[in-house]
Amino acid sequence: MNRIMEGENEKGLLEYVRKSSPPPFLLKTYMLVEDPTTDNVISWNAEGTAFVVWQPAEFARDLLPTLFKHSNFSSFVRQLNTYGFRKVATSRWEFCNDMFKREERELLCEIRRRKAWTNRQQHPIPPSSQTAPQQEVDEDQRSSSTSSSSGYSSLMDENKRLKKENGVLSSELTCMKKKCKELLDLVAMSARSEKEEDDERPKLFGVRLELQGEREKKRKRAEISESASILLSQSCK
């Protein structure tokens, strides 16, 4: 009788410890979100009611291996799903759980891993299909994994596309700067040529003579050259 009571007391103590200690996965995730040095990769949202993985690729490569035994973003998302987290934004990886909030770490003890029957507890299960819940959960997990993988792959493809476009634009910019420089050199060469023409004008008692209409022509050419130089220098910046 005493042994039975001792066994029950031990089970009760273990259950109390289990309920008063947050699951390791939640503690580690909370630590990553709280760390201010990684806010550019993962951080709280503005209200502190959810967290956002801003850069999934960097998060999987650099942060996950520091606390978890893998670098798989899809597995991380699947774990979040099993603890009741919801993806609350379509344009970014933002996850929410009512008990996962900024500066309220003690609430983590209230988060529990979902049981196989949690989502179907209101529907009686016939004896002939007792194994169905687990099969359905496995299918849900595979579906969640596939969806997460698809989203992650889309992000990676988009990142590659943007990098490629950036490379093309950079190449075009370099080409345009080269052409602008050639035009500026051409304008400078034209100015030097005009100066040489001026030096070839006839002299009278050591003074250069102004030919008829030459002064007005010179003024217009100088204005055009100056305007061209200003426009080219502005466009090549």
Side-chain angles (χ1 to χ4, degrees):
M1 185 69 178
N2 290 335
R3 289 183 179 180
I4 294 175
M5 293 181 63
E6 288 177 359
E8 291 179 352
N9 289 336
E10 185 176 350
K11 288 181 180 179
L13 180 60
L14 290 173
E15 182 67 15
Y16 172 77
V17 171
R18 186 183 69 81
K19 289 184 177 181
S20 61
S21 301
F25 172 79
L26 297 177
L27 280 175
K28 293 176 181 179
T29 302
Y30 198 87
M31 289 170 60
L32 288 174
V33 179
E34 281 279 271
D35 188 353
T37 63
T38 58
D39 281 353
N40 63 316
V41 179
I42 180 173
S43 69
W44 295 105
N45 64 0
E47 297 78 18
T49 56
F51 71 90
V52 185
V53 181
W54 302 103
Q55 302 183 50
E58 287 79 358
F59 175 75
R61 184 189 65 222
D62 302 330
L63 298 184
L64 275 182
T66 62
L67 293 177
F68 302 92
K69 295 181 179 180
H70 65 84
S71 57
N72 191 319
F73 184 67
S74 298
S75 296
F76 177 75
V77 173
R78 188 163 58 249
Q79 280 284 84
L80 289 175
N81 291 337
T82 63
Y83 282 99
F85 283 81
R86 307 182 305 279
K87 188 174 184 293
V88 294
T90 56
S91 59
R92 61 187 186 183
W93 293 93
E94 182 173 352
F95 302 95
C96 172
N97 185 302
D98 294 339
M99 298 300 171
F100 196 93
K101 298 180 179 180
R102 182 170 53 201
E103 298 180 357
E104 296 188 41
R105 187 169 180 170
E106 67 279 359
L107 293 178
L108 296 180
C109 297
E110 303 298 325
I111 303 177
R112 289 286 164 242
R113 191 182 183 92
R114 286 177 174 175
K115 300 294 183 181
W117 44 266
T118 300
N119 296 329
R120 302 166 184 83
Q121 56 185 341
Q122 296 179 351
H123 305 281
I125 302 174
S128 60
S129 60
Q130 290 295 320
T131 59
Q134 185 58 46
Q135 293 173 351
E136 292 176 2
V137 169
D138 292 340
E139 290 176 1
D140 289 345
Q141 290 181 346
R142 284 195 295 270
S143 175
S144 174
S145 175
T146 302
S147 176
S148 300
S149 299
S150 176
Y152 180 65
S153 298
S154 298
L155 283 175
M156 292 299 293
D157 292 341
E158 179 70 9
N159 187 42
K160 290 179 180 178
R161 184 183 66 80
L162 291 175
K163 283 184 177 180
K164 184 177 180 180
E165 290 181 358
N166 186 53
V168 173
L169 290 174
S170 178
S171 178
E172 291 179 353
L173 179 60
T174 301
C175 183
M176 289 299 297
K177 285 185 175 180
K178 183 179 178 181
K179 290 182 179 179
C180 284
K181 185 178 182 303
E182 292 174 354
L183 287 173
L184 285 172
D185 292 341
L186 186 61
V187 170
M189 187 182 299
S190 175
R192 286 195 299 270
S193 177
E194 291 174 6
K195 184 178 179 181
E196 292 172 356
E197 289 177 5
D198 289 342
D199 292 340
E200 294 175 358
R201 285 179 301 164
K203 291 182 179 180
L204 180 62
F205 303 112
V207 179
R208 298 284 181 189
L209 297 178
E210 288 286 346
L211 301 178
Q212 186 176 6
E214 187 68 25
R215 182 176 297 177
E216 182 65 19
K217 187 187 297 183
K218 179 180 177 182
R219 185 183 64 80
K220 289 183 177 180
R221 283 191 300 185
E223 290 177 355
I224 294 172
S225 178
E226 183 180 359
S227 299
S229 297
I230 293 174
L231 289 173
L232 284 171
S233 62
Q234 289 178 346
S235 63
C236 292
K237 287 183 179 178

